[in-house]
Amino acid sequence: MEHNQTRVTALHRRLIEVEDRSERARIHLELGRLMVSDGLLPRASRHFREALWFEPRLEDAETALRSLGEWFERAEQRRVGRVRAFLGWLRLAG
């Protein structure tokens, strides 16, 4: 994770220097991937959306964002399942 933080810092500095939209998109894509590897999924999602803002047809960003959406959907389904199981347990215990 420390290695990623060094890379994240360097990429943020690069964003300040770069004006080319395509390059900015690729930097955001890389930042998003680093956020995913660190488990920072909401931040990753933001960077993938930024990448698409700069380059709307960047397929890697579209794919990554779609994958995150699917992950969030599955996580929500698991959360709902746990809540239902807990409520069922409460009914049985009460």
Side-chain angles (χ1 to χ4, degrees):
M1 190 161 165
E2 186 174 319
H3 172 71
N4 279 355
Q5 187 55 47
T6 301
R7 182 77 178 128
V8 166
T9 300
L11 288 168
H12 275 110
R13 284 187 184 135
R14 184 81 178 118
L15 274 175
I16 294 169
E17 301 166 356
V18 172
E19 292 184 23
D20 179 71
R21 293 180 65 83
S22 181
E23 182 65 19
R24 291 179 69 85
R26 300 210 180 279
I27 292 170
H28 278 292
L29 177 62
E30 179 65 19
L31 284 165
R33 289 174 173 160
L34 291 169
M35 296 298 117
V36 167
S37 72
D38 285 345
L40 304 171
L41 302 185
R43 288 184 187 177
S45 176
R46 187 182 76 231
H47 282 294
F48 294 141
R49 286 192 314 269
E50 286 283 330
L52 288 169
W53 187 82
F54 284 110
E55 192 172 313
R57 291 188 177 97
L58 186 58
E59 289 183 30
D60 288 346
E62 288 178 3
T63 300
L65 199 54
R66 191 172 20 261
S67 293
L68 273 183
E70 291 168 4
W71 184 91
F72 280 118
E73 186 176 313
R74 287 190 308 273
E76 179 64 13
Q77 289 170 352
R78 287 190 302 271
R79 187 188 66 77
V80 167
R82 286 192 301 270
V83 168
R84 285 185 179 150
F86 178 70
L87 291 174
W89 177 81
L90 283 177
R91 278 189 287 259
L92 291 174

